[in-house]
Structure formats: C-alpha cells, structure tokens
Amino acid sequence: MRIARFSLDGNVAFGVVEGAELDIIKGHPFGEFERSGQKVPLDKIRLLPPVLPNKVVAIGRNYVEHAEELGHTVPDVPVVFFEPSTSVAGPGDPVHYPAFSSEVHHEAELAVVIGRMCKEVPRERAREVILGYTCANDITARDIQRAESQWARAKGFDTSCPLGPWVETELDPADLAIQCTVNGEQRQLGRTSEMVRSIEDLIVHITEAMTLLPGDVILTGTPAGVGPLDGGDEVAVTIEGIGTLTNKVIKRD
C-alpha cells in the first residue's frame, strides 16, 4: 500500500495511491483508518512530505564503497546523527543551496518510516515498528562537513532532506536498487543488500538510546557515487518498489 500526504484546496490529508488516483482516508496511517471512497487524480493534488517527523535519525558510512570514496573506513559502530524537522522537503519542492557552502552533494538513501512509539526494540521484532519505506536525498554541504566536527549545519540546513513521494508499506527492503540521477544522468546506482548494517540492526542500535515516535524517519546510508549539485539541477532518487523523488536545486543570486 502506498500512503501519501497531500494538499488539496488548502486542506492537508492522507490517502492511498492507486495508479493515477488517490483514495482519501479517514484517520491517519499511524492508527486504524478507513478509505473514504473519495478519489482524486494525482495531477490535481500537491504531494507533501509523506510524514512530518519529530526527528530524522541518519546513519553515516553504511556502504563500504561510499565510505572509501570519501577516504573513510567503516566504523566499528554505526555513525548516528540527527537532522531537524525543518530540513524536510517534499517531492517537487525546491532545494535551496545554502549560501554558506560552495560544495553541495546528493546522497540517495532508503528511508524507514516508524509506525509506532518504540524503545529497546529486540531484533526479531524490529519489523513490527516500521510503517513503511520512502525515498530520501540526504543533501550534504560537503565542504562544511569536512570543516566542522559536528554535522548539524552540513546535514541539517533547510530543505536538505527531501522525502517522498509516498510511504510504501508492503515491501521487502533487503535487496532494492537505489539510483540517483542529476539532469537525467545517472550518478549513483547501488542496492540495499550492500548495507553494512541491516535495518533491523539499526533499529536495535538506535532504540537502545532513544525512543522513536510514529512518523520518525531513519536514513540508512548512501551507496557510492555521491557528487556535486548546482543551481538549476534536477536531482531524482529512484528506489525499486517505491518510486521516484524529484527536486530542483535553487541557488541564491
């Protein structure tokens, strides 16, 4: 099931995507809901970020070749960092190139959307706390990341975390193709099976320390091939079984 968050005539709601239409739901996807039977064409609505997370918990260096391309080794424990809710953008939203950076990179990632409050989740129950999966672009000010020991500015500037286009709830994430294109040219191509640590392992590790809330998002790392973006670029992240998240980069004059 594909669950989208959308705006229509100034109202925000959730719906189930079926082909070129969306069936508006009664309730919200983090609890019991019903389909209303009221359907609207996708081209008549504006897709929004599929969730508004309390927090985005991101994982660094979870693909060996990506760590190597930046001159790093894979750490003994996952690299965990946060991105604020204000970094989240939706499908089709502009990504604003930060004025304080001169080197901004794309990073295509599989995002895990948490479905219920959880803490200290055992590995065998990790899938139970997942609502579904969506596409993410962990856009990074690479020069700032190199210059500052904390990644808050490099990874957390406004619009740096596009998510979408919807949440796919019925998906096996173990071996999915992840692709990133810029202006139609392929930059990244990898598979989730190349992750150093699985989604289950990441949920266990994260929830040892903190409570995850419904709508929170885990970014699972990016495959090799990250590279620069510039003003006017159209960047698209496509994940097998989910769809494509497309954004345009806007650079201040």
Side-chain angles (χ1 to χ4, degrees):
M1 183 184 300
R2 290 178 169 176
I3 300 176
R5 181 171 163 269
F6 69 97
S7 173
L8 177 64
D9 298 328
N11 298 309
V12 175
F14 290 95
V16 176
V17 177
E18 295 179 324
E21 292 185 321
L22 181 145
D23 190 346
I24 299 173
I25 66 174
K26 298 177 180 179
H28 61 79
F30 304 107
E32 297 293 330
F33 67 85
E34 297 178 358
R35 301 190 189 198
S36 69
Q38 181 183 352
K39 298 184 179 182
V40 292
L42 286 178
D43 61 6
K44 300 297 184 183
I45 65 173
R46 178 190 171 200
L47 288 175
L48 302 173
V51 289
L52 287 179
N54 173 271
K55 54 188 172 291
V56 176
V57 186
I59 305 298
R61 303 172 192 168
N62 200 29
Y63 288 76
V64 173
E65 291 184 0
H66 170 61
E68 290 176 346
E69 73 180 347
L70 296 182
H72 303 296
T73 57
V74 174
D76 293 334
V77 295
V79 175
V80 180
F81 57 95
F82 292 109
E83 299 181 14
S85 59
T86 48
S87 69
V88 172
D93 287 347
V95 169
H96 296 282
Y97 200 112
F100 55 82
S101 173
S102 60
E103 186 185 356
V104 169
H105 285 194
H106 56 79
E107 293 191 7
E109 307 202 12
L110 175 69
V112 180
V113 179
I114 298 299
R116 62 181 178 87
M117 186 169 67
C118 57
K119 175 74 187 298
E120 297 178 344
V121 179
R123 193 180 193 284
E124 64 273 14
R125 300 194 65 183
R127 293 290 180 97
E128 297 177 19
V129 307
I130 297 172
L131 174 66
Y133 307 89
T134 193
C135 304
N137 195 344
D138 180 22
I139 296 174
T140 303
R142 193 71 70 197
D143 50 349
I144 304 302
Q145 186 184 28
R146 288 193 297 263
E148 300 179 1
S149 59
Q150 297 291 325
W151 298 351
R153 294 207 312 151
K155 296 277 194 175
F157 59 89
D158 290 355
T159 71
S160 65
C161 184
L163 299 173
W166 39 64
V167 177
E168 173 58 67
T169 64
E170 299 170 9
L171 187 68
D172 182 352
D175 186 28
L176 303 175
I178 304 179
Q179 178 181 249
C180 178
T181 64
V182 178
N183 302 325
E185 175 187 351
Q186 182 176 289
R187 294 278 191 86
Q188 292 180 268
L189 182 62
R191 303 196 70 86
T192 57
S193 56
E194 299 167 355
M195 288 183 190
V196 176
R197 296 174 178 89
S198 69
I199 290 169
E200 292 87 350
D201 291 338
L202 295 177
I203 289 174
V204 170
H205 183 74
I206 292 165
T207 62
E208 283 178 344
M210 70 191 73
T211 299
L212 294 176
L213 301 176
D216 281 350
V217 169
I218 299 173
L219 303 187
T220 57
T222 193
V226 300
L229 294 170
D230 204 350
D233 284 347
E234 184 175 83
V235 55
V237 174
T238 301
I239 300 182
E240 181 181 0
I242 300 176
T244 299
L245 166 69
T246 303
N247 302 90
K248 190 167 184 178
V249 180
I250 304 298
K251 201 168 188 177
R252 193 180 303 171
D253 292 335

